[in-house]
Amino acid sequence: MQTAIEFYRAIPEGMPRILDAIQAWLRDLPDRGIDADGEGLWHCHALTRATKLKWQLKRWRVTDGFFCRVGTNHSWLVRDADREFPRLILDVYPVRGFRMPLLIEANEWGSPSPWNEMYIEMPGFFANHHRQQWERDANLILAASHSR
């Protein structure tokens, strides 16, 4: 069965294949292991950055902000609208989700998407040291996935 965004060709060609590959990669990615801060799991901030690098998603930008409300820190990828496609959100590691990426049409024109209100962009909110750590963690994820 096709989804509406597939039927109406609202996603780039090959995107379903990339989503399947991301899901398989998440499934096979080893757990992080407990670090000095007591963290044992990978987080959305690093997984989002690692996904952009691994699949060379040049038209997509990493976005930091909140999910549903301020206080629920989250990161995701956005492909801004152009003449060919509407604005798209790729949530690599949805909040409280099951290692399955979520691709959402997030129109801001025409028939607006309800998802727009759930993904709150606030890139300036996070201090640079968080983003630097998230980028280091993204490189750890890529190294861990290459070792398998």
Side-chain angles (χ1 to χ4, degrees), residues 44 48 60-70 72-79 87-97 100-108 113-123 126:
C44 62
T48 297
W60 297 78
R61 62 182 165 83
V62 172
T63 305
D64 299 314
F66 303 99
F67 182 73
C68 287
R69 67 187 190 313
V70 173
T72 308
N73 299 351
H74 196 48
S75 295
W76 59 93
L77 294 167
V78 172
R79 186 182 192 280
R87 180 174 180 265
L88 298 170
I89 292 173
L90 174 54
D91 192 339
V92 176
Y93 197 58
V95 173
R96 300 291 190 251
M100 186 179 299
L102 180 61
L103 182 65
I104 302 157
E105 181 184 340
N107 271 342
E108 295 173 329
S113 168
W115 290 100
N116 287 327
E117 295 176 19
M118 298 180 82
Y119 288 86
I120 305 163
E121 295 188 30
M122 299 214 29
F126 299 99

Side-chain angles (χ1 to χ4, degrees), residues 17-27 51 55 90 92 101:
R17 189 174 57 253
I18 291 172
L19 290 171
D20 289 343
I22 293 170
Q23 184 175 355
W25 175 66
L26 291 171
R27 181 192 61 235
T51 299
W55 277 274
L90 174 54
V92 176

Side-chain angles (χ1 to χ4, degrees), residues 7 124 128 147:
F7 181 80
N128 282 333
S147 68

